[in-house]
Amino acid sequence: MSRKLIIYFFFTVYCFLFTAILNAQDIPAKPNPPRLVNDFVMKLSPTELSSLEQKLKVYADTTSTQIAIVIVKTTGDSGPYDYAIKIAKDWGVGQKDKNNGLVLLWATETRKLRIVTGRGMEATITDAVSKRIINTILKPYFQGGQFYQGLDVATTEIMKRASGEFGADAQSDDDGSIIPFLVIIIIVIVFLVIAAKRGGGRNGGAGGFMGGWLGPIIFSSGGSSGWGGGSSGGGFGGFGGGDFGGGGAGGDY
Amino acid sequence: MSKGLIIGLVIAALVVFWGIGVRNGMATGNQEVAASWANVETAYQRRADLIPNLVKTVQGVANFEKGTLTDVINARASATQIKLDATDLSPENIQKYQAAQSQLSGSLSRLMAVAESYPQLKATENFSELQSQLEGTENRIKEERDRFNTTVKGFNNKIVTFPNSLVASFSGFTVKGYFQADAGASKAPAVDFGGAK
């Protein structure tokens, strides 16, 4: 019980510190551990938060498209666009080679909404579509105080539109890397054969050699598909470094 | 061959190799600048492509003020006339290009300001989406201009510093121009839709 209290205390202090840093200007730091739904104002209940997070995480796992929701009090001196695109770029939402990230920013105090789309998303989530999502989905729900429902319906709409544009990350990785992987294995085998022939009976040496070679290969192959695999365990695996070119739209409610 | 001659030849060869390396670096930088220039032009083109649609929408509104509309049409015509080749991005040319484009920005933002006073226009879905598209293109232009400036800065730094500047003058690389912040438009996206941003 007392331990729970202590944790709660530190969490509150942490939140206060966080808002203090936030007010000092600039954008919030990249969440660690990574999260797709970042509610810095506590507008959503824990259940709403985790169900949104789960929904976006599953979508990111299956399509590699990362939709991040950021809820802040205000965007400070900068406009919602500048604020949102800075978050998008600094956090690197979306995959590096696909630029398939999207940030939905909500400033609660100034009642602003902003969608910024990654370069790879611009074809499906055009500026006009972003505007329509804000005007016809988010705005009516938010005006009625149904924030979670608004975000839920809006993200569903985004997912529906973006689906089919990108495949899961692991798939495309496999297609490209199987041949070099085979080449490396063949080279290793050739090396081992040569080493075994030269060394004659020195089996121990060959074994060490093998360990030294195969170790990093296995490790690195695990690493390349790491964010897809790691995320199945629970949390979201992390942002991929996607780029943003200024697409999207904004509005207020 | 004397020892001195050999040493001299070796030094000369080293200098030549160094020069080739530097020159290749500059050529790569030149390509990078050309690529980001292409992106800048695409962003501006995107805006120019939007205007006919915008004009059509606005014209559909009865008794819309003609002056601002013709301003936009004329500014678009003169802005699209100026095309810069990626090999010719001198500071003067960039300045000329920017002047033509910012005239279009100015007349566009006047048009949008005037449009604010036509409620029947503001109410249409079509116009609201055009607004957001226009705002998006302005943001893209800003983004590409920033990137272009960064690339140019890297390139210029490469060619003006000594001893690279020697190689640059041999191979004909010259300093490229930057985009300046638009006069009176320090809040970059020039089209402001009062709260729409």
Side-chain angles (χ1 to χ4, degrees), chain A residues 153-192:
Chain A
V153 176
T155 47
T156 304
E157 178 68 22
I158 293 168
M159 289 172 181
K160 223 166 59 192
R161 286 179 180 273
S163 281
E165 189 74 2
F166 303 102
D169 218 24
Q171 238 173 1
S172 64
D173 257 358
D174 281 353
D175 289 343
S177 64
I178 224 161
I179 291 167
F181 193 70
L182 281 179
V183 170
I184 290 170
I185 287 181
I186 291 169
I187 290 173
V188 168
I189 290 171
V190 169
F191 256 104
L192 286 177

Side-chain angles (χ1 to χ4, degrees), chain B residues 86-104:
Chain B
T87 53
D88 201 16
L89 302 173
S90 66
E92 300 79 43
N93 281 343
I94 295 277
Q95 209 179 355
K96 240 190 290 175
Y97 185 89
Q98 188 182 357
Q101 292 293 353
S102 55
Q103 191 161 8
L104 179 54

Side-chain angles (χ1 to χ4, degrees), chain A residues 193-214:
Chain A
V193 169
I194 293 171
K197 273 195 175 164
R198 269 203 194 155
R202 281 194 305 159
N203 266 341
F209 196 62
M210 184 169 156
W213 274 91
L214 282 187

Side-chain angles (χ1 to χ4, degrees), chain B residues 7 32 42-43 50 53 65 67 91 103 109 126 130 144 154 166 169 181:
Chain B
I7 291 174
E32 276 164 17
T42 310
L50 263 183
N53 212 344
E65 198 192 291
Q103 191 161 8
S109 58
N126 191 14
L130 270 172
E144 297 304 344
L166 293 177
S169 63

